[in-house]
Amino acid sequence: MNVKELRVGFAFCGSFCTMSQALDALEQTAARFGPVTPIVSGSVASTDTRFGAAHDFMREMERICGRRVISTVAGAEPIGPKGLLDVLVICPCTGNTLAKLAHGVTDSSVTMAAKAHLRNGRPLVAAVSTNDGLGASAPNLGVLLNRKNVFFVPFGQDDCTGKPASLVADFTLVPETIEAACRGEQLQPLLRR
């Protein structure tokens, strides 16, 4: 597969404190691979936080991608039957989304996009951002680390003294992880400082 001609989907979940880093990763991804399909969870589409307004985030995604954001389950469902993507990135991927992916729950635009995409045997790349990655979300992370066609952006503890269970991916490695995933490889080392 020629990585210069990839059809990339880029899904955002509600780790609002990492949203600006995720937008930077989206920009890097679009610069490397061309047009990207943006997808957002319901919380990203509708929640204004101290980190920014939902409308502003979505407007910036559309500016970077040059296309409308998919924000509904119905909008995400055709991704599988129509084979619309070569690779799907979930960045940031929250503990909530990890749990849903690990247990087959399809109740949001992002989880529907993932389910629809994975049915075609194509790579899913997750950039974890969760305060309980080494706590309650650890079993779900373990399940997905062992799941075929699921790859992770290398991650590590972001604040081992203040939040000892928290994990965050190195979002600067999203494009490199996409390339590795398209070769069927997990970018290594997976655990970063």
Side-chain angles (χ1 to χ4, degrees), residues 8-124:
V8 179
F10 203 106
F12 292 79
C13 294
S15 174
F16 297 102
C17 61
T18 59
M19 200 63 70
S20 64
Q21 294 169 323
L23 284 171
D24 290 344
L26 173 63
E27 194 130 36
Q28 293 170 3
T29 300
R32 186 171 298 183
F33 304 113
V36 174
T37 300
I39 304 159
V40 296
S41 68
S43 62
V44 173
S46 64
T47 307
D48 296 336
T49 71
R50 64 188 170 103
F51 300 104
H55 175 76
D56 294 337
F57 283 129
M58 292 187 22
R59 188 175 62 223
E60 182 64 4
M61 291 169 206
E62 289 176 349
R63 182 197 66 76
I64 293 167
C65 297
R67 53 181 74 177
R68 303 268 312 156
V69 172
I70 295 171
S71 60
T72 65
V73 171
E77 189 274 335
I79 287 171
K82 293 184 178 180
L84 298 178
L85 304 175
D86 296 313
V87 60
L88 174 62
V89 179
I90 303 177
C91 175
C93 183
T94 61
N96 185 49
T97 300
L98 284 175
K100 290 176 181 184
L101 294 172
H103 296 283
V105 176
T106 307
D107 65 350
S108 74
S109 51
V110 172
T111 55
M112 175 54 80
K115 174 186 174 182
H117 176 71
L118 284 169
R119 80 178 218 167
N120 296 327
R122 295 178 181 162
L124 173 75

Side-chain angles (χ1 to χ4, degrees), residues 2 39 70 86 93 99 102 129 143 151 153 172 174 191:
N2 183 346
I39 304 159
I70 295 171
D86 296 313
C93 183
S129 179
V143 166
F151 302 89
V153 177
T172 65
V174 168
L191 300 178

Side-chain angles (χ1 to χ4, degrees), residues 15 18 90-95 98 125-134 137 141 144-145 151-156 166-171:
S15 174
T18 59
I90 303 177
C91 175
C93 183
T94 61
L98 284 175
V125 172
V128 174
S129 179
T130 178
N131 286 329
D132 68 349
L134 296 176
S137 288
L141 181 62
L144 293 173
L145 282 167
F151 302 89
F152 284 87
V153 177
F155 56 84
S166 183
L167 294 176
V168 175
D170 180 347
F171 290 7

